[in-house]
Structures are given as C-alpha cells and as structure tokens.
Amino acid sequence: MANDNHTSYRRIGFAVFSGAIAIVLSLIYLGGIRGRGDEILVETHYDKPVSGLSVGSVVNFRGVKVGEVREISFVGSKYDVTGADNSRIYILMALNGRALGFEDMTQGESGAVVASLVKKFNLRATVTTSGITGLSRIELNYHRPEQLTEHRPVSWTPRHAFIPPQESLLDNISDAATKVLNQINQMDLSSAWSNVAASVESLARTASAAQLMFEALQNDIDRLLDDLSSTAGNIKEMASELKRNPSLIIRDRKPARLEETE
C-alpha cells in the first residue's frame, strides 16, 4: 500500500515538473519568435506634453495599426543626460514586425531597416489627439523635406531603433497663434494709434491744400474751356465752308478783281 502511494506521488511530481519545463520552453520559444520579427522595439522622444497618451495607446503607420506604446517616461530616467534633456519625454513603442513585413529579422536587422526609412523617406513619429475623446495615438508616416519640423538633436545613444519626432498640424497652429499673440502683446498700441492718427491728419491737410489749389485755378480752367469751345466752333464753321467751296484751299475767299482790257 505504501509503495503505491510513493508511486502516485512520483507520478504527480513528474507531471508538475514536466508542465513547468513545458511552460518555460514555450516562453523561451515565443520570446525567440518575438525577437525575430513579431515585435520590433523602437523609440522616440517628444519635447511637448503628451496628454492623452498612455501605455497601450495605438501606434499607426500611415493610418494602419501596427503596434502600441510600451513605455512612457522621461529621458533622464532612461539615459545619463543633463540639462533640458532630462525633461524630454521618452516613448518606447512595440511594433508588429510581421505587419510591417519584417519577418525573420533580428532586432538589429529590423532596426537597420527603420533607420534607412528615417533617412531615405523621412519617417517620423507624431503624437496626435483622437477627436473629442482626448485620447492620443502615435502616427508614423513619411514626410516631404519641406514638411519636416526642426527638433533638437539627441545627446544620448538610443538603445533601440530611433524615429525622430514630428510636430502635428495642431501643434504648428498653436505655436503660430502663440507667436502672434506674443507679438501683439509686445506692440506699443498707443504709439501705433498715434502714428495712424498723424497719418490721417496729414492726408486731411493735403486734401485741403489740393482743394484750395483747385479753387484758385477754377477761373483759369473756365476761361480755357471757353477758348477751346470758341476754337472748336470756328474750326467747325471753317470745315463747313470748305465743304461748300473746296477751292478756298488754293485761293482767298474773295478772288481778286481782273483788270479791264481795251
């Protein structure tokens, strides 16, 4: 009876041990697959606030979901940096390698492909707000050179493939509006209004002087118009007379009297 109990315990122990080994091997296998195409780790940073972005947020490539945000932190907590770089926002993304066509690639190989896309086609990462929900996502997309926004170069060496940030259209509009408001605040509106008032007053004086000059010349203009009217009448009368008697062109109006002959 005792031997049967020992045999049962051995079988149970062997089954538990075998199950644990199977689980460990499965995790190692799945981890190996992930390391060769199923998952690509890439990172970016952002200088502006990333409100609405969280771990698990969607990462799209040209509008198609290809991954999710894996980690959000500050650059200072991930790398040995100083100054303003400490407050830069660090974003780690996990991309689906198979969805991107990176099957059977190691992390190093896929990272090299990402780097070539960044260099040749200006691949950039943009934090975008999703409508009125307030939730944000990351959009990966290609950009024309004239569309690129400037960003400070990194002072650290990224551990993963690095995709530079690109400001969204909303960020650009907000920055432009802020600059305009700052310029308005810095303007001396009182001086500007004084200059406008002075210009209007100067124009009024010029108009008044022009009116006085016109009034002074009005009599001369009237006489000139009368002379032109009289001249036109004379020319019209002469034309009518020439029409009736064209010979006036080559002789006087009254021909000279012929002398009498004997």
Side-chain angles (χ1 to χ4, degrees), residues 66-257:
V66 294
E68 63 180 22
V69 175
R70 181 60 55 83
E71 182 181 353
I72 301 176
S73 183
F74 288 104
V75 172
S77 67
K78 307 298 295 185
Y79 296 100
D80 184 15
V81 294
T82 59
D85 287 339
N86 280 301
S87 60
R88 280 178 156 183
I89 299 173
Y90 168 87
I91 303 173
L92 180 66
M93 296 168 281
L95 306 182
N96 188 331
R98 295 188 182 278
L100 294 170
F102 293 170
E103 293 91 349
D104 300 324
M105 287 188 185
T106 63
Q107 285 289 330
E109 292 170 342
S110 58
V113 174
V114 171
S116 67
L117 295 177
V118 169
K119 183 177 181 180
K120 293 181 179 179
F121 302 103
N122 299 314
L123 179 65
R124 296 293 186 269
T126 302
V127 177
T128 305
T129 302
S130 302
I132 62 175
T133 62
L135 300 177
S136 297
R137 65 184 185 276
I138 294 182
E139 290 286 345
L140 305 179
N141 210 338
Y142 301 133
H143 297 271
R144 296 192 299 272
E146 63 271 17
Q147 295 176 321
L148 299 179
T149 54
E150 295 182 2
H151 65 91
R152 291 183 298 161
V154 297
S155 60
W156 63 92
T157 302
R159 298 188 184 96
H160 308 94
F162 176 72
I163 301 179
Q166 170 77 6
E167 292 184 1
S168 65
L169 178 61
L170 184 61
D171 290 334
N172 292 333
I173 293 175
S174 177
D175 289 343
T178 301
K179 291 179 181 178
V180 171
L181 290 176
N182 289 335
Q183 291 177 353
I184 292 175
N185 289 333
Q186 294 174 1
M187 290 175 60
D188 188 352
L189 296 180
S190 178
S191 299
W193 177 251
S194 298
N195 293 335
V196 171
S199 298
V200 171
E201 184 179 355
S202 177
L203 288 174
R205 288 197 300 268
T206 302
S208 179
Q211 184 177 2
L212 292 175
M213 182 181 297
F214 179 78
E215 291 175 354
L217 294 175
Q218 185 66 43
N219 294 331
D220 294 336
I221 293 174
D222 291 341
R223 286 196 299 272
L224 178 61
L225 291 176
D226 291 340
D227 292 342
L228 288 175
S229 178
S230 177
T231 302
N234 293 335
I235 293 174
K236 183 177 180 180
E237 182 181 354
M238 181 180 297
S240 299
E241 191 169 350
L242 289 174
K243 186 176 181 181
R244 291 192 303 269
N245 191 3
S247 62
L248 291 176
I249 298 176
I250 57 176
R251 61 180 178 82
D252 292 338
R253 182 174 300 178
K254 293 182 178 180
R257 186 173 181 180

